[in-house]
Amino acid sequence: MALAAHQVTLQVWWLLSFLPEPMSVAAQTLITRDMKDAKERVPKLIKTLYEMCGVLGLAAVVTGFIFRSPSVAGALVADLSVQRLMTSLVPFAVLSQSYCPLATLSDGI
């Protein structure tokens, strides 16, 4: 049961962790381009990208609340004991997922 709960929880949160990766790639490309031609645009670009990361971090928190609801957990897995274990894992997943966009973007910058 514990393995099943971890597997389902990880699959959902791994799916969400792929969202910030395109922003990281965009940061690498756009910052490199702008460092040559328009250095004054770089700080605004970085600020905008970090604001987008903040939105993704908040989306992780909202997703955590949604994921803890019995109807959503029931849609993912039928076993009630696995559902209860999943809801106990959600706070840890939310914590890690709320920082994932920040770490990914910082790597790109």
Side-chain angles (χ1 to χ4, degrees):
M1 285 187 296
L3 181 60
H6 278 88
Q7 185 64 35
V8 172
T9 305
L10 281 173
Q11 291 301 320
V12 170
W13 295 102
W14 277 339
L15 175 68
L16 294 175
S17 72
F18 292 121
L19 294 175
E21 184 61 30
M23 290 184 351
S24 175
V25 173
Q28 293 174 20
T29 304
L30 295 175
I31 290 173
T32 302
R33 179 199 67 190
D34 289 346
M35 288 300 286
K36 294 177 188 173
D37 303 329
K39 287 186 179 185
E40 68 280 353
R41 290 170 44 181
V42 173
K44 184 177 179 181
L45 173 65
I46 291 172
K47 180 180 181 264
T48 302
L49 288 169
Y50 274 119
E51 288 170 351
M52 291 171 63
C53 281
V55 170
L56 285 175
L58 290 175
V61 173
V62 171
T63 304
F65 284 114
I66 293 169
F67 193 59
R68 287 188 72 150
S69 77
S71 60
V72 173
L76 296 173
V77 65
D79 191 331
L80 290 175
S81 56
V82 174
Q83 288 178 22
R84 276 188 246 116
L85 283 170
M86 284 172 39
T87 58
S88 69
L89 294 171
V90 167
F92 301 106
V94 167
L95 180 64
S96 67
Q97 196 60 35
S98 60
Y99 289 104
C100 178
L102 178 68
T104 304
L105 180 64
S106 296
D107 179 49
I109 290 176

